[in-house]
Amino acid sequence: MKPLSIEQERRLVQRLKQGDERAFTMLVRTYQTPVYNLAFRMLSGSREDALDVSQDIFVTVSRAIDGFREQSRLSTWIYRITVNHCRNRIKYLARRKQSSHQAWDNTIERDQPTASEAFLASIPRPDALYEGQEAERFLHTALNRLDPEQREVVVLRDVQGLSYEDIARITGHRLGTVKSRLHRGRVALSTAYRSWKSGTVPKETAS
């Protein structure tokens, strides 16, 4: 769905605080895709974890909406909740010693910009469809191998397209920290991509 304007968000918040069930349905329809995609990428491509976290996120939003003081946009607040839930799930998975490199599901929502489309906009894409798919898979794998704190800001900036200021509000980090982590994450992705493209890294490792 098309993103809501500031005024539309305000009206939606008012209806949610009044307990309007249709407003909650609209909330889910509007934000379920960006919330799922953000969770999917932050959680290393685990469709199951992303679905579980997404459900928990909307439950949290519903329960906490009365305390939302509208000092930021509704979408920013929801992203903050999403990031916090994902951080908790990452910690949980780390304690369980589960792998952080699970296979990406082929059913990722395609109405959101992919990592390669956003990050590599200035790099000529391969003409062949097969080569493009190979690059896409490699970049997903490289994104998963980033430090979680770097992956977090890379996804928020280069995939979700959020501003530095919004990312700072969502993550709770200073603007300088956000920019520093984003820079390091981008450098790591760029280095990995060039190595793969030049054949330094075997392409079969990208699958």
Side-chain angles (χ1 to χ4, degrees), residues 25-38:
T25 299
M26 181 179 179
L27 174 81
V28 174
R29 287 178 178 174
T30 302
Y31 295 107
Q32 62 182 351
T33 294
V35 163
Y36 171 81
N37 283 344
L38 175 56

Side-chain angles (χ1 to χ4, degrees), residues 22 33 49 51 80 82 106 136 147 207:
R22 288 179 297 179
T33 294
D49 285 330
L51 287 172
R80 185 185 305 131
T82 302
N106 292 326
E136 183 80 15
D147 180 281
S207 58

Side-chain angles (χ1 to χ4, degrees), residues 45-88:
S46 169
R47 184 172 183 272
E48 181 180 357
D49 285 330
L51 287 172
D52 287 345
V53 167
S54 296
Q55 293 174 1
D56 291 342
I57 288 164
F58 286 108
V59 170
T60 298
V61 170
S62 177
R63 292 175 176 173
I65 192 65
D66 286 338
F68 176 49
R69 294 179 291 178
E70 301 184 56
Q71 294 179 339
S72 67
R73 293 196 58 166
L74 175 63
S75 54
T76 301
W77 184 63
I78 292 174
Y79 281 135
R80 185 185 305 131
I81 292 174
T82 302
V83 167
N84 287 336
H85 274 268
C86 288
R87 286 173 175 174
N88 291 337

Side-chain angles (χ1 to χ4, degrees), residues 143-161:
L143 185 65
N144 290 344
R145 290 175 179 170
L146 290 179
D147 180 281
E149 293 179 338
Q150 293 177 11
R151 181 169 66 242
E152 179 178 280
V153 295
V154 168
V155 170
L156 289 170
R157 177 63 179 173
D158 291 337
V159 180
Q160 302 298 119

Side-chain angles (χ1 to χ4, degrees), residues 4-31 61 65 68 70 74-75 78:
L4 301 181
S5 66
I6 294 177
E7 184 56 35
Q8 288 174 323
E9 282 191 350
R10 288 174 178 169
R11 290 199 297 267
L12 179 59
V13 169
Q14 291 174 357
R15 292 172 57 195
L16 288 168
K17 289 184 176 181
Q18 293 168 358
D20 188 334
E21 293 184 3
R22 288 179 297 179
F24 183 74
T25 299
M26 181 179 179
L27 174 81
V28 174
R29 287 178 178 174
T30 302
Y31 295 107
V61 170
I65 192 65
F68 176 49
E70 301 184 56
L74 175 63
S75 54
I78 292 174

